[in-house]
Each structure stands twice: as structure tokens, then as C-alpha cells.
Amino acid sequence: MYRFLLSRQWVILTLVGLVLIPVMIELGFWQLHRHQARVERNEQIERAVEAEPVPVERLTAPGREVPDSAVYRRVTAEGTYDTRHEVVVRRRTNSDDEVGYHVLTPFVLTDGKVLLVNRGWVPAKGPQTAFPKIPAPPAGEVTVTGRLMADETSAASGIKDVRGLPDRQIMLISSGQQAHALGKPVLGGYVEQTAPEPRDGSPQLISEPDHSSIGAHMAYAVQWWLFAAGVPVGWFVLVRREVRDRREAAAAERTSPETTPAPA
């Protein structure tokens, strides 16, 4: 009765099922690992933004990359803003998804080194070839507090570093590029300013990174594992149905009346 399992159709169906099961199990573990990575990242961000601020030069230095463990860490710095060399970062959005610029201002520390400070977002008004109107930062020596961030790259952000932009406009925040432009030692990475807050609300300070959402990766993992479990169940159901149909067909053939000859 089960000889049909050796047919070409059923051999192919069985082999496909045997391939799908481990693939779906592996996809489930892939989603589980993404869930765990998301949870760990959220915990890291929460620890960083809730920790007491430390002097920025404890965590970074000229020519040094900001380590993952220091990203989003709250830092402080004392110095003065250098608005003459201020630039804007194109195609950035605010919390309402409005397109504008991020304002990147060099902040000269008391020891002469430069820290790049992202002062926040301003709207894109007028032609994109013109430098936008930006409210001035506080004059004189001030203390800045913010979140330490790593240099932006095209690989990590998906943003192409376009060349030939209008004067004082950039696509990515790179301490190396700004050090070359300024001719001064620039600390690696940059800081998203959180204090002092601008008097008139502009530039808009960048909101705290989301560290509460974990996404649907765990649900996707369970879904893939359920699919993997469903493959053998489905195969067994199909086999039972095929056996039943064959038995019914055989029984109908045995019970059908014989054809009687026509009268002469």
C-alpha cells in the first residue's frame, strides 16, 4: 500500500521536506540571535544614557575610534564653540520625519583639541545649495554635555559620502575628515549635545535613542520553528490521505457490478 512513496513525485516531495526542516530551524535561531543582540544593545544604551557624565577625553582622543562600549555614553567638555568652521550634515530628519540638516560645530577644548558637537536639527528652507540660517550657540567658555557617538561610515549608515557638495555641507560626520579640514587635532567620534538647551528651541536637540523596542525577532523565531514542525506533520497528513484515497479506489473497484452482456 505504501509503495507509492517510492514514486518520483513522492521522493521529490520527501526530499524537499527534509531540506526545509533544518533550514527553517536555522532561520529560527538566526532570528533568536537577532533578538538577543537587540536586547543586549538596548541594555547597553540604557546603561550609557543613565550613567553619570565623564570628561570626554577619558573615552576618546585624536585619531582614535570610539569603542562600542562607549557609544551613547554621556560625556562633558569645557571650551568654546568655533562657529566660523561650522558645517551642516545634509538629509537628516527630526522626530517628526521632516528633512533638514544636523548642525556640526567644532568645540575647542581648553587644551586646544577640538571636539565635534552635533548641536541638533534645523529645517531645510530655501535652496539646498545655500547654507541654512542657524541660531548661534552660547558665546564664551561653556560646558557641553552630550552622548558620545562613533564616526559615521557609509557601510554602517547606508549613506553615500557624496563629494562636490556646496560649501560647508557634508553627508557623514567624520572626525578624520574634519581634522583634515581644520588642520587641528580632533577627538575621534562626535557628541550629540543634550545640554545646554538652546534658548529658542533651535537647533532641535536630538532625542534620546530608543532602547525600549525589541522588535518582532522572537516572534519570527517561533514562527520559523512552527513551520519546521509543520513540515513532517503535513507530510504525514498527505501520506494518510493518499493511502485512504487508494483504499477507497480499490474498494470501489472490487464492489462495482460486472458488466452484463446485452441480450441477443
Side-chain angles (χ1 to χ4, degrees):
M1 183 58 69
Y2 290 93
R3 291 179 60 85
F4 67 88
L5 292 175
L6 299 177
S7 67
R8 182 172 181 272
Q9 176 184 354
W10 276 95
V11 168
I12 293 175
L13 181 63
T14 303
L15 291 176
V16 169
L18 292 175
V19 170
L20 286 177
I21 291 173
V23 169
M24 291 178 177
I25 291 174
E26 183 62 27
L27 287 172
F29 279 110
W30 173 61
Q31 289 290 350
L32 176 63
H33 295 154
R34 295 188 67 187
H35 168 78
Q36 293 171 337
R38 183 68 174 269
V39 170
E40 291 175 1
R41 179 170 176 79
N42 286 349
E43 292 174 349
Q44 175 194 339
I45 294 174
E46 184 176 7
R47 289 192 300 268
V49 299
E50 291 183 354
E52 288 297 318
V54 298
V56 66
E57 290 188 87
R58 288 189 186 178
L59 302 178
T60 184
R64 182 189 301 175
E65 293 184 3
V66 175
D68 290 341
S69 59
V71 173
Y72 295 115
R73 186 73 164 79
R74 291 204 299 162
V75 294
T76 61
E78 295 182 0
T80 56
Y81 287 103
D82 177 13
T83 55
R84 292 180 305 166
H85 298 99
E86 193 169 63
V87 297
V88 292
V89 190
R90 293 166 59 96
R91 300 178 186 174
R92 299 302 168 105
T93 57
N94 63 0
S95 56
D96 296 322
D97 289 331
E98 297 174 310
V99 179
Y101 304 93
H102 279 178
V103 180
L104 190 68
T105 310
F107 189 74
V108 183
L109 306 180
T110 53
D111 61 3
K113 299 186 183 72
V114 176
L115 170 67
L116 300 179
V117 176
N118 186 341
R119 294 203 290 126
W121 180 90
V122 294
K125 296 180 179 179
Q128 293 190 6
T129 55
F131 194 78
K133 184 177 180 180
I134 301 172
E141 187 167 307
V142 295
T143 298
V144 168
T145 303
R147 295 179 292 267
L148 182 61
M149 304 296 294
D151 286 323
E152 296 179 339
T153 64
S154 295
S157 66
I159 301 173
K160 186 178 181 180
D161 192 11
V162 179
R163 304 293 181 175
L165 296 175
D167 188 37
R168 299 174 65 188
Q169 295 190 25
I170 60 176
M171 295 298 298
L172 295 169
I173 302 177
S174 167
S175 59
Q177 290 181 5
Q178 294 305 306
H180 178 74
L182 295 170
K184 296 181 180 180
V186 177
L187 301 184
Y190 65 99
V191 166
E192 291 180 346
Q193 180 176 326
T194 58
E197 296 186 8
R199 294 179 181 178
D200 60 355
S202 182
Q204 296 178 19
L205 296 182
I206 299 173
S207 58
E208 184 176 290
D210 177 27
H211 54 276
S212 60
S213 173
I214 59 174
H217 301 301
M218 192 62 184
Y220 293 151
V222 173
Q223 188 178 61
W224 280 117
W225 291 331
L226 289 176
F227 287 159
V231 170
V233 173
W235 182 88
F236 180 75
V237 170
L238 291 176
V239 170
R240 290 293 301 273
R241 182 179 299 172
E242 182 73 14
V243 171
R244 182 196 62 194
D245 291 345
R246 287 174 177 267
R247 285 175 175 171
E248 290 177 352
E253 184 177 346
R254 287 195 303 268
T255 58
S256 61
E258 295 183 355
T259 303
T260 56

